[in-house]
Amino acid sequence: MLPPFLCSRGNAQRQAVWWKRPQGALFFLCLLSILGCLAWLLLSVEDGTMEILIRQSEVVAERVFLVSCSEDYKNYKQYPDCTPQRCGRAVTDSVVNREESAKLKRLAERGLSLGGSDGGASILDLHSGALSMGKQFVNIYRYFGEQIKEVFSKEDFELYRTVRQKIQEVIAQTFSLDPSRLYLTKPTFFSRINSTLAKTTHDEYWHPHIDKVTYGSFDYTSLLYLSDYGTDFGGGRFIFMDTMVNRTVEPRAGRVSFFTSGSENLHRVEKVSWGTRFAITVSFTCNPDYAISDPALP
């Protein structure tokens, strides 16, 4: 019998010779190819790059993607001609024009210049007055008083109301709703996101979530983008997390993306890697008890 160390050496030599044979090399290459494909697939699903619903370079009148409604809405009071019966998500570039979006972006920039989060995500809510400032929030109407009239004008608020009405109408039309039964609800706000590291949980915008679970009043959610993916910022794409596949919307200034708010539309936002992403979240409810009015200068 050979000594153990010689047996081990002999086995290693035989294994080395086997890999040099044509069938061994072919097997090795196939194995590497399979592992590479699996790694790409897993990364694609996690990063939301498996399927792009709408690219930034596309201009679409409206594109609708229907999905089955979740059971979420059965846990809440039902409102005829409003509670989601036809669920899905949609994207349109024809409701808000780029001039309107540019004016709203300037409004957001002026308002957010008054404060801003220490982390990468800042919000401005013209309804409640909430503004990110450092690691907390302040009420701009109380904090700045009459000076706020030097930052915003009546025309700013009129544009805000006009755009909100346009978004409300296209949601009602797309999902076959009575628009008079659809109400603006909170939170509805501007967001500014950059690549600065998060300082508090309020800066961690990238976690997967369901709007109906997070905010019970939500029935329909919309986002109006005020900047362009790939030009103004990188990352920051909106991702619908469907079973086995993630579906991505690339932001475009003036683009409105809207969807039913239940778990049929689990979603997240990619981390912004460079630049600054501006958007408005405009939310709607069927429950009049949760309705809010359009903002107005004090």
Side-chain angles (χ1 to χ4, degrees):
M1 179 180 291
L2 292 172
F5 72 90
L6 289 178
C7 290
S8 300
R9 182 180 178 185
N11 288 336
Q13 288 175 335
R14 284 192 294 275
Q15 289 171 0
V17 169
W18 183 82
W19 286 114
K20 292 179 181 178
R21 295 172 184 170
Q23 63 268 33
L26 181 61
F27 174 81
F28 184 68
L29 289 173
C30 289
L31 180 62
L32 285 178
S33 178
I34 292 169
L35 291 174
C37 288
L38 287 173
W40 177 85
L41 179 63
L42 289 172
L43 286 172
S44 294
V45 171
E46 183 177 349
D47 292 341
T49 54
M50 275 295 288
E51 180 179 338
I52 298 176
L53 289 182
I54 308 288
R55 296 183 182 277
Q56 187 279 335
S57 58
E58 296 180 79
V59 179
V60 297
E62 185 178 38
R63 198 170 294 175
V64 181
F65 308 87
L66 296 179
V67 297
S68 298
C69 292
S70 64
E71 299 291 314
D72 301 354
Y73 308 102
K74 295 181 180 179
N75 298 322
Y76 297 85
K77 185 176 178 179
Q78 303 292 294
Y79 293 88
D81 299 321
C82 187
T83 296
Q85 302 295 321
R86 182 174 184 258
C87 294
R89 72 269 314 227
V91 178
T92 175
D93 295 317
S94 63
V95 170
V96 179
N97 62 50
R98 289 177 72 90
E99 181 182 355
E100 290 171 325
S101 69
K103 289 180 179 179
L104 287 170
K105 182 183 178 182
R106 290 194 292 271
L107 187 164
E109 288 173 330
R110 292 197 306 274
L112 287 161
S113 70
L114 299 174
S117 169
D118 288 342
S122 301
I123 70 144
L124 169 65
D125 183 338
L126 293 179
H127 301 266
S128 68
L131 170 69
S132 301
M133 186 172 286
K135 294 182 175 65
Q136 58 186 0
F137 297 93
V138 299
N139 185 307
I140 55 171
Y141 302 124
R142 290 200 296 265
Y143 196 86
F144 296 100
E146 289 296 311
Q147 295 178 9
I148 205 67
K149 294 180 180 179
E150 299 175 9
V151 179
F152 304 126
S153 67
K154 289 183 178 180
E155 289 73 21
D156 290 331
F157 285 80
E158 288 171 1
L159 174 61
Y160 186 96
R161 181 174 62 254
T162 297
V163 168
R164 187 272 304 163
Q165 289 172 337
K166 288 182 176 183
I167 294 172
Q168 184 169 341
E169 288 168 2
V170 74
I171 291 175
Q173 181 179 0
T174 300
F175 292 111
S176 303
L177 312 174
D178 179 348
S180 67
R181 295 179 177 271
L182 197 59
Y183 305 95
L184 188 66
T185 193
K186 62 181 180 181
T188 286
F189 56 91
F190 289 93
S191 60
R192 182 187 68 193
I193 304 175
N194 58 38
S195 59
T196 304
L197 293 177
K199 299 297 189 298
T200 72
T201 55
H202 297 298
D203 299 316
E204 297 179 6
Y205 56 86
W206 55 82
H207 298 298
H209 63 280
I210 300 162
D211 289 345
K212 189 68 178 172
V213 174
T214 306
Y215 312 103
S217 62
F218 279 35
D219 289 301
Y220 301 90
T221 308
S222 71
L223 292 104
L224 167 59
Y225 297 108
L226 304 178
S227 49
D228 290 308
Y229 168 77
T231 301
D232 298 316
F233 63 92
R237 296 180 299 176
F238 190 94
I239 301 171
F240 291 105
M241 302 178 69
D242 296 333
T243 304
M244 297 301 292
V245 63
N246 290 339
R247 295 184 167 92
T248 304
V249 175
E250 294 183 350
R252 173 185 173 86
R255 171 166 290 169
V256 180
S257 175
F258 56 96
F259 51 93
T260 48
S261 303
S263 54
E264 69 276 3
N265 282 313
L266 172 68
H267 61 274
R268 68 182 179 92
V269 174
E270 283 182 325
K271 289 185 179 181
V272 171
S273 55
W274 58 269
T276 305
R277 175 190 189 269
F278 285 90
I280 312 175
T281 298
V282 185
S283 316
F284 296 94
T285 184
C286 298
N287 188 339
D289 293 339
Y290 291 106
I292 61 173
S293 301
D294 289 309
L297 277 175

